[in-house]
Amino acid sequence: MGELKIASYSDAEPNRRRGGELRVVLGPKTAGATTGFLGVLTLQPGEFVSEHYHPYSEEFLYVTRGELTARVDGAAYVLYEGEGLVVPKNARHRVENHTGEPAEAVFHLCPLAPRPELGHVDTEELPAPAEAQPAVGAP
């Protein structure tokens, strides 16, 4: 068995490139993961994560606080606290907060793309394109 590593949300670097705040808590860089990564998404009222798809990975999304709308291939799914969904590989998706309260979700992607830069394909303009890509790869 490999070395076990504990990673903390507070140590995860926040990223706002695609909208909201994404923090990869467990992944190749933070915990030596080899098959996927897990993080936390926080969306303030009116925020969204821009549309994109994953050619190699499914994405699991589980709402831990508030309410989110997930648009998957054009269809809208409202998710409440305690609910989740699986976004299939290659499905275009966008996550939005249409409420007056902050919302939070845990996300997990697996399997990993062959290289980190191949993991996401953006299909709309990014809210913060100047911000660096999230660093999820090996250290």
Side-chain angles (χ1 to χ4, degrees):
M1 174 165 60
E3 179 184 346
L4 294 177
K5 295 182 182 176
I6 295 174
S8 169
Y9 171 85
S10 61
D11 292 335
E13 186 177 326
N15 188 280
R16 300 184 67 77
R17 180 178 171 83
R18 289 185 177 86
E21 181 182 279
L22 295 152
R23 292 179 185 241
V24 175
V25 179
L26 298 168
K29 181 179 178 184
T30 60
T34 60
T35 60
F37 62 89
L38 178 140
V40 177
L41 163 65
T42 304
L43 290 179
Q44 298 301 320
E47 287 187 325
F48 63 92
V49 173
S50 58
E51 187 186 79
H52 61 282
Y53 67 91
H54 309 284
Y56 297 94
S57 310
E58 292 179 318
E59 182 170 353
F60 298 76
L61 184 66
Y62 179 78
V63 179
T64 57
R65 179 173 56 141
E67 173 186 320
L68 293 171
T69 299
R71 295 190 184 280
V72 182
D73 285 336
Y77 302 90
V78 177
L79 300 171
Y80 301 96
E81 187 173 313
E83 294 183 330
L85 62 75
V86 177
V87 179
K89 289 179 189 179
N90 292 310
R92 289 177 173 223
H93 57 287
R94 185 181 208 268
V95 183
E96 307 162 347
N97 181 353
H98 296 291
T99 74
E101 300 292 326
E104 190 171 87
V106 172
F107 62 90
H108 178 257
L109 280 85
C110 68
L112 291 172
R115 295 191 321 268
E117 67 273 14
L118 300 176
H120 284 74
V121 178
D122 296 305
T123 56
E124 74 172 309
E125 188 174 330
L126 301 178
E131 188 158 332
Q133 289 277 12
V136 298

